[in-house]
Amino acid sequence: MWSESALALRPWLLEFLIESAQLLEVSPIVKYTALSFFADRFYPRFSRLKEEGGIANWLLQPLRESNLQLFALVSIWISSKIHSSRPLSIKSFKSLGDKVIKEQHFTNRDFLEAEVVLMQVLNFEIGAVDIAFIFLEELLHQLREVAKVGDLVNFEACMDIMDLLYEKGEISTEHCSSRSLAASTLVASYVITVPKQRWEFPILPWGKFQRIHTYPEFSFTYFSYEIPEEVFFW
């Protein structure tokens, strides 16, 4: 299993990835696909690979904070290649890495090597279909089709909530399906941003709330919202 220091780094590294995505001005789907690669796939698999004596590479052994930052940037790079008609260049990531990674400076070759290593850890499974953000967009679109109040849901708030959940590490697609995470995020944004007197949530009666965690510093309580499969429109 991960050492305590590695586990403690995870929230900070996810915050680093989110902030780097903002600095690079990538689209939301690029950011959330990168989060899926790094948080939901790379971290759990790398832990198992270490136990099994997996991939031998200087970027993985020993574990360094700067190397994990490199993998976070590479996750964004791979995601941009999947979703952008004009993917960001390695020069853009090298330039950003020189500014934000303080412990070590990486060369273009290091970025290329990290890309190969990350792909190996992911077992070359870089599908971007089962992403919570994609389901969130679909659910919001469906809500707006069946209820005018859907136009009042703040999509920026949806993304802020999803970012917070990733950063806090209270929930991930390893323990919760992408559809459930998307539905929970939508409901939380609905409750927070839509005036109570305008509530008209057509699927709310079929769901079930479950309190997960309270964040006093944010005056925010996260509730899991479970919706039976048959309630979805697909």
Side-chain angles (χ1 to χ4, degrees):
M1 297 300 288
W2 285 90
S3 66
E4 291 186 7
S5 60
L7 287 172
L9 279 176
R10 187 180 186 275
W12 183 85
L13 287 165
L14 297 186
E15 183 180 352
F16 170 84
L17 191 156
I18 291 170
E19 291 179 353
S20 296
Q22 292 172 343
L23 291 172
L24 291 164
E25 298 182 342
V26 300
S27 64
I29 186 59
V30 170
K31 178 178 75 171
Y32 290 110
T33 300
L35 280 167
S36 176
F37 290 159
F38 189 74
D40 299 330
R41 308 184 204 182
F42 177 80
Y43 242 78
R45 292 188 184 184
F46 178 57
S47 175
R48 290 192 288 269
L49 282 171
K50 282 193 69 178
E51 293 175 351
E52 298 166 1
I55 301 169
N57 186 279
W58 69 275
L59 289 170
L60 297 177
Q61 299 170 355
L63 177 66
R64 292 188 178 93
E65 179 180 324
S66 58
N67 292 0
L68 290 172
Q69 289 176 290
L70 174 64
F71 284 119
L73 291 180
V74 167
S75 296
I76 301 175
W77 187 27
I78 294 174
S79 179
S80 74
K81 292 181 183 181
I82 295 173
H83 295 293
S84 302
S85 56
R86 290 186 176 181
L88 292 171
S89 67
I90 190 173
K91 182 179 178 180
S92 301
F93 288 93
K94 171 69 167 62
S95 176
L96 178 60
D98 289 342
K99 295 176 182 177
V100 298
I101 301 177
K102 305 300 182 182
E103 186 179 314
Q104 183 174 347
H105 286 291
F106 294 101
T107 65
N108 287 353
R109 183 171 182 175
D110 293 335
F111 274 88
L112 292 170
E113 184 173 354
E115 180 184 28
V116 173
V117 172
L118 188 141
M119 295 277 282
Q120 290 175 329
V121 173
L122 298 185
N123 199 25
F124 295 91
E125 296 173 2
I126 57 169
V129 177
D130 190 27
I131 304 294
F133 179 76
I134 294 176
F135 296 126
L136 174 62
E137 286 188 309
E138 291 177 354
L139 285 173
L140 183 56
H141 175 71
Q142 292 169 5
L143 174 60
R144 287 171 174 170
E145 283 188 333
V146 299
K148 291 182 179 179
V149 74
D151 293 330
L152 299 177
V153 177
N154 188 314
F155 194 60
E156 292 293 329
C158 290
M159 292 190 288
D160 288 342
I161 291 169
M162 194 168 287
D163 288 352
L164 179 62
L165 294 179
Y166 268 112
E167 289 175 9
K168 290 296 179 180
E170 293 294 332
I171 192 168
S172 72
T173 53
E174 186 181 14
H175 308 294
C176 173
S177 73
S178 296
R179 283 190 173 91
S180 296
L181 178 56
S184 300
T185 300
L186 178 59
V187 172
S189 179
Y190 180 97
V191 172
I192 292 171
T193 63
V194 176
K196 192 171 183 178
Q197 62 271 25
R198 300 291 300 275
W199 283 8
E200 183 192 344
F201 207 98
I203 61 175
L204 201 57
W206 289 277
K208 182 176 70 174
F209 278 109
Q210 179 183 4
R211 179 171 173 168
I212 299 296
H213 195 77
T214 299
Y215 304 105
E217 65 272 28
F218 296 102
S219 299
F220 174 77
T221 300
Y222 171 64
F223 291 88
S224 172
Y225 186 72
E226 299 178 1
I227 302 177
E229 187 90 17
E230 61 270 16
V231 173
F232 286 102
F233 292 78
W234 49 75

